[in-house]
Amino acid sequence: MMRMDFLTLFPEMFPGVLQSSILNKAAEKESVQFNVHNIRDFSVNKHGKVDDYPYGGGAGMVLTPQPVFDAVEHVKGAANVVYAPRVILLCPQGKPYKQADAEKLASEKHLIFICGHYEGYDERIREHLVTDEYSIGDFVLTGGELGAMVMADSITRLLPGVLGNDESAEKDSFSQGLLEHPHYTRPADFRGYQVPDVLLSGHHENIEKWRKEQAVKRTRERRPDLID
């Protein structure tokens, strides 16, 4: 079973996502265990303070290293395992997160997500604690929580037995370097909009050929960078 731990200042953001849909079903199947921790609980400051002004001046507040280090060390100890977890920092400066990263991380046993707020993190968190830094896009969010939940969803659905059909994940967009082909279901005629004849033919070889052609066509039109 995979374990995912989320270190955050806003734990109330997580239940709605982790306790719904595929993620909830995965937890019920014991394919994954989710744990959410409040970084403030690890602060040695009597007021639970976790941020401070940046050395050298500047706008905003910086997340201090002490509560983050202590939180990660606590989680590692609680896991009580011999393997080293991946400690993931969500930040705009991180590596762009791709489907290939989700596939790689899905083979891990333990992931720890650090979700920051404020102006940024004390650099010593990056240098001495984190194994991976990821960004989910070229835009700035108010914190790392949404990025962590996006990553958790994309990873969990790849775990064995989580989806009803493991082939569903294998044929997703990006998994084979292309966007996914179009899908149709009943009725075959909806307000005059017809399902392509090939999908109704029952000829599996022709259907697969059509799907591949459509995937290439859609990728060229919408994401030519994936082909070029």
Side-chain angles (χ1 to χ4, degrees), residues 8-122:
T8 174
L9 296 173
F10 298 93
E12 64 273 14
M13 293 179 66
F14 287 84
V17 172
L18 301 183
Q19 296 174 13
S20 302
S21 189
I22 295 296
L23 298 188
N24 185 57
K25 291 179 180 178
E28 290 179 344
K29 290 180 179 180
E30 297 186 348
S31 297
V32 63
Q33 178 186 11
F34 299 119
N35 305 284
V36 181
H37 311 270
N38 193 332
I39 295 173
R40 293 188 190 279
D41 292 341
F42 299 91
S43 174
V44 296
N45 182 280
K46 65 180 181 180
H47 301 296
K49 185 177 173 64
V50 296
D51 62 329
D52 213 327
Y53 295 102
Y55 279 124
M61 304 291 280
V62 175
L63 192 62
T64 59
Q66 177 272 315
V68 178
F69 271 75
D70 285 4
V72 170
E73 289 164 0
H74 168 81
V75 168
K76 287 181 177 180
N80 193 28
V81 292
V82 296
Y83 47 78
R86 308 300 298 182
V87 181
I88 298 170
L89 188 71
L90 281 301
C91 64
Q93 302 98 322
K95 173 187 175 184
Y97 185 64
K98 305 290 186 182
Q99 181 67 19
D101 298 305
E103 293 169 358
K104 179 181 71 173
L105 292 171
S107 66
E108 297 287 339
K109 295 292 186 181
H110 188 191
L111 304 176
I112 301 174
F113 295 92
I114 302 176
C115 312
H117 260 69
Y118 310 121
E119 181 64 22
Y121 308 87
D122 186 290

Side-chain angles (χ1 to χ4, degrees), residues 143-201:
E145 287 79 9
L146 294 176
M149 287 186 270
V150 165
M151 290 184 65
D153 186 291
S154 66
I155 294 165
T156 299
R157 64 192 308 278
L158 297 176
L159 300 178
V162 169
L163 298 181
N165 184 347
D166 289 340
E167 187 178 336
S168 297
E170 294 173 3
K171 292 189 175 181
D172 279 341
S173 292
F174 307 112
S175 292
Q176 299 179 1
L178 298 171
L179 300 183
E180 196 173 12
H181 58 76
H183 293 277
Y184 294 88
T185 188
R186 295 180 178 85
D189 184 331
F190 176 70
R191 297 183 179 180
Y193 304 128
Q194 305 285 335
V195 172
D197 290 338
V198 65
L199 298 180
L200 306 175
S201 68

